[in-house]
Amino acid sequence: MKWGLIGASTIAQEWMIEAIRSIGDEVSAVVSASESRAEDFAKHNGIKKYGTSVEELLLDPDIQAIYVSTQNHLHKVQSLKAIGAGKHVLCEKPLALSVADAAEMVSAAEEAGVVFATNHHLRNAESHKALRRAIQGGMIGKPLAARVFHAVSLPPHLQGWRIADSDNGGGVILDITVHDTDTLRFILNDDPVEVTALTQAGELSVNGVADSVMGVIRFKSGLLAQFHDAFTAKYAETGIEIIGTEGTLVARNVMTQFPEGEVVLINQAGSRKLFLEHANLYETAVRDFSEAVAGRSQPAASGVDGLWSLATGIAVVESANTGKAVPVVLE
Ligand code: NDP
């Protein structure tokens, strides 16, 4: 399958181009808002065609799939254009800056009959799949609580719009909390109903944009999930824990782009590591997307999954702004 990239982004360069090529698909063209960035990016990444016009890219009949990885405020308009042109779309998270916009994207794709997926990579990790399997297999009984440790150090080359411009969808919540939400939904097979949160505008923040957040999500089952997300934690370890009536699962070094980390089950019998056969998270995403386009399966994370994570993120933003618990609503 031939892909067009909308966005000369770091994530495309560091992970997605290689992932697309790894499954035998082709990256045909890239579009950037800047001619020189498009040219540099295309040359650096061995992409034949480049330009500044999304419309021209979408006229190419050979391109079936579009990967949207621009800044967050552009995802909606660019995805809708691609869907309108009959292309299948893999869009970066957050899908949009409002729940209504994301819902419009999901509906447009349904009406057009194209695949529309969200690039929530973490659910593709073997660690998170193992957590989901363990819970579904009853290894910890009824899940009661979860704790997510996702405080990281934002590298200097990404310290631009993410920490400075909330109009572009910057801030830690739409960047990281949406991933936590999707990962928890995947592991627990449960959906959020309500959130409460407090934010911090710490040492990386510009214009008061939140660079750290702590909060709690209540899920339909009654489970409470505590989360800590940050751009400012230079030496923190990531992880996730699920505490159940019959045992606890402790996963360490798993909120990451890399295929790594470990999962330990603790119960009456003691503690033991679960076997994990790590695989590249982004290759899995692209393979599943390609299979979905071929009509053989579903994408790893659908547009509706992206809608859920965004709705939760928006509720977290509102809770931090108002000091109140906020319901998670999909419309
Ligand atoms: P980048 O800042 O690297 O790229 C985003 C956009 O910024 C690019 O499309 C580019 O626009 C623009 N840009 C880059 N350099 C400049 C510049 N010098 N001046 C002006 N604009 C510039 O962001 P990321 O790659 O980190 O993130 C892109 C998207 O991917 C975001 O939505 C993010 O949330 C998501 N993401 C997802 C991850 C995942 O694992 N699923 C991980 C990381 C990010 P143009 O295309 O016009 O050149």
Side-chain angles (χ1 to χ4, degrees):
M1 183 162 73
K2 292 192 175 175
W3 291 67
L5 309 185
I6 301 182
S9 67
T10 307
I11 179 71
Q13 180 157 306
E14 289 184 351
W15 292 99
M16 292 301 288
I17 291 172
E18 202 182 317
I20 290 168
R21 289 175 176 155
S22 79
I23 65 153
D25 281 4
E26 187 183 323
V27 179
S28 286
V30 59
V31 166
S32 160
S34 141
E35 182 75 33
S36 64
R37 261 201 324 271
E39 184 176 0
D40 290 350
F41 190 92
K43 286 188 175 154
H44 185 80
N45 294 291
I47 301 169
K48 284 191 200 123
K49 294 187 236 171
Y50 59 87
T52 55
S53 167
V54 169
E55 287 76 9
E56 261 177 47
L57 173 81
L58 296 175
L59 282 175
D60 187 336
D62 291 339
I63 292 179
Q64 276 183 278
I66 297 292
Y67 171 53
V68 175
S69 67
T70 46
Q71 293 174 20
N72 300 341
H73 66 300
L74 297 171
H75 294 175
K76 178 198 171 188
V77 65
Q78 292 167 338
S79 294
L80 284 178
K81 280 183 185 171
I83 290 166
K87 310 293 185 190
H88 305 284
V89 175
L90 175 57
C91 183
E92 270 305 338
K93 42 50 66 172
L95 287 185
L97 301 190
S98 77
V99 178
D101 283 355
E104 190 182 332
M105 295 156 81
V106 170
S107 300
E110 278 169 9
E111 278 164 32
V114 296
V115 175
F116 180 56
T118 314
N119 203 24
H120 275 307
H121 64 297
L122 287 169
R123 59 166 62 208
N124 301 323
E126 290 306 311
S127 50
H128 297 303
K129 289 182 184 176
L131 288 166
R132 180 180 160 99
R133 276 194 306 271
I135 290 166
Q136 283 182 344
M139 285 165 91
I140 62 165
K142 177 178 162 53
L144 301 172
R147 303 199 295 166
V148 182
F149 311 87
H150 204 163
V152 297
S153 177
L154 190 67
H157 69 285
L158 296 180
Q159 291 175 15
W161 58 272
R162 259 189 185 77
I163 50 168
D165 194 346
S166 53
D167 291 344
N168 286 16
V172 70
I173 297 167
L174 292 191
D175 201 53
I176 300 184
T177 310
V178 292
H179 277 315
D180 298 350
T181 307
D182 185 68
T183 308
L184 286 166
R185 284 188 64 244
F186 175 73
I187 291 172
L188 299 166
N189 197 26
D190 199 357
D191 292 321
V193 290
E194 185 185 27
V195 302
T196 180
L198 294 174
T199 53
Q200 198 177 48
E203 63 175 39
L204 285 182
S205 169
V206 182
N207 303 326
V209 170
D211 59 11
S212 178
V213 59
M214 283 192 184
V216 180
I217 306 172
R218 187 196 305 280
F219 280 76
K220 275 184 189 149
S221 65
L223 176 139
L224 295 179
Q226 179 190 64
F227 62 92
H228 175 209
D229 305 327
F231 292 147
T232 50
K234 288 193 185 125
Y235 305 106
E237 203 179 34
T238 71
I240 193 160
E241 294 176 5
I242 314 289
I243 297 156
T245 51
E246 308 298 328
T248 292
L249 290 156
V250 177
R252 283 286 177 267
N253 194 21
V254 294
M255 305 306 281
T256 162
Q257 295 176 298
F258 297 92
E260 61 187 9
E262 65 172 41
V263 179
V264 174
L265 169 68
I266 305 168
N267 60 16
Q268 206 177 11
S271 77
R272 71 173 169 93
K273 257 189 212 176
L274 302 189
F275 174 73
L276 303 179
E277 204 164 2
H278 290 297
N280 186 299
L281 286 59
Y282 295 97
E283 286 179 19
T284 303
V286 171
R287 189 175 300 109
D288 284 2
F289 183 86
S290 235
E291 286 291 301
V293 169
R296 288 190 287 265
S297 78
Q298 297 298 314
S302 66
V304 173
D305 292 319
L307 183 58
W308 268 108
S309 65
L310 177 66
T312 310
I314 298 275
V316 169
V317 171
E318 197 184 325
S319 174
N321 288 342
T322 60
K324 294 187 172 140
V326 175
V328 176
V329 282
L330 288 197
E331 52 193 33

